Amino acid sequence: MSRTIHALAITGAAVTLSLGLAIPASADDFAGQYTLTLDQESATWTVRPCEDADPAAGFVQCVHVAQSGGKEVPWESVATWAVGYWTLRVQRPDVMACDDGKEIAALTTYSWDAVTLAGHMSFLYPGGCGDAPEQSVAVPFTLAKGAAPVEPKAAEVPA
């Protein structure tokens, strides 16, 4: 009986430790600039903690993501963290381009692992490009953190 309790205690400690390692210390730890690489295209994500996060809500991680660069129309959204993954949704006017140049709009979900920064962009393709039927689409992507923007230091004035 005591061996069983001891084994359960060790297992519980190991699970707690592994969960602790997967949880970001704060949204501040994720802030910065990232290069998004998706289907051989890239864009820049600028990530900052949400300004209006409610501390009374408990452990809610929230970041503001702004995408710029690349071929897509720039967009902004809010990502939340849960169970080791960040997730955001954004209505994109140009999630898919048809052969004839027409662009398809769709509500798009980005979900990525908080540690590896690998994830998937997914959306429901509503049809509209030739004969392609309505279908779910998921495309893998990676994020790579770049150098944090350097704030200019104020000039020191001799006393």
Side-chain angles (χ1 to χ4, degrees):
M1 176 83 159
S2 66
R3 283 186 182 174
T4 303
I5 292 172
H6 183 68
L8 287 174
I10 290 172
T11 302
V15 168
T16 302
L17 178 61
S18 67
L19 287 175
L21 293 175
I23 296 172
S26 72
D28 292 330
D29 293 342
F30 187 56
Q33 288 205 326
Y34 292 80
T35 298
L36 167 80
T37 304
L38 175 110
D39 200 23
Q40 300 179 2
E41 296 289 327
S42 64
T44 299
W45 278 14
T46 302
V47 179
R48 68 179 194 278
C50 292
E51 296 171 3
D52 57 351
D54 180 10
F59 185 74
V60 176
Q61 293 293 329
C62 170
V63 292
H64 181 266
V65 178
Q67 180 172 302
S68 60
K71 294 180 182 178
E72 294 84 24
V73 173
W75 54 260
E76 296 184 21
S77 188
V78 171
T80 55
W81 181 89
V83 195
Y85 282 83
W86 289 97
T87 303
L88 70 80
R89 288 179 179 79
V90 61
Q91 181 67 35
R92 294 215 11 227
D94 60 349
V95 74
M96 187 172 170
C98 302
D99 290 339
D100 65 2
K102 176 182 172 185
E103 292 183 332
I104 303 295
L107 179 62
T108 307
T109 300
Y110 292 82
S111 182
W112 64 97
D113 185 287
V115 176
T116 67
L117 302 180
H120 284 85
M121 176 201 69
S122 58
F123 61 95
L124 177 62
Y125 166 67
C129 279
D131 295 336
E134 181 177 296
Q135 60 187 305
S136 293
V137 176
V139 180
F141 70 85
T142 58
L143 291 170
K145 189 164 188 176
V150 178
E151 297 289 327
K153 293 183 179 181
E156 292 185 28
V157 179

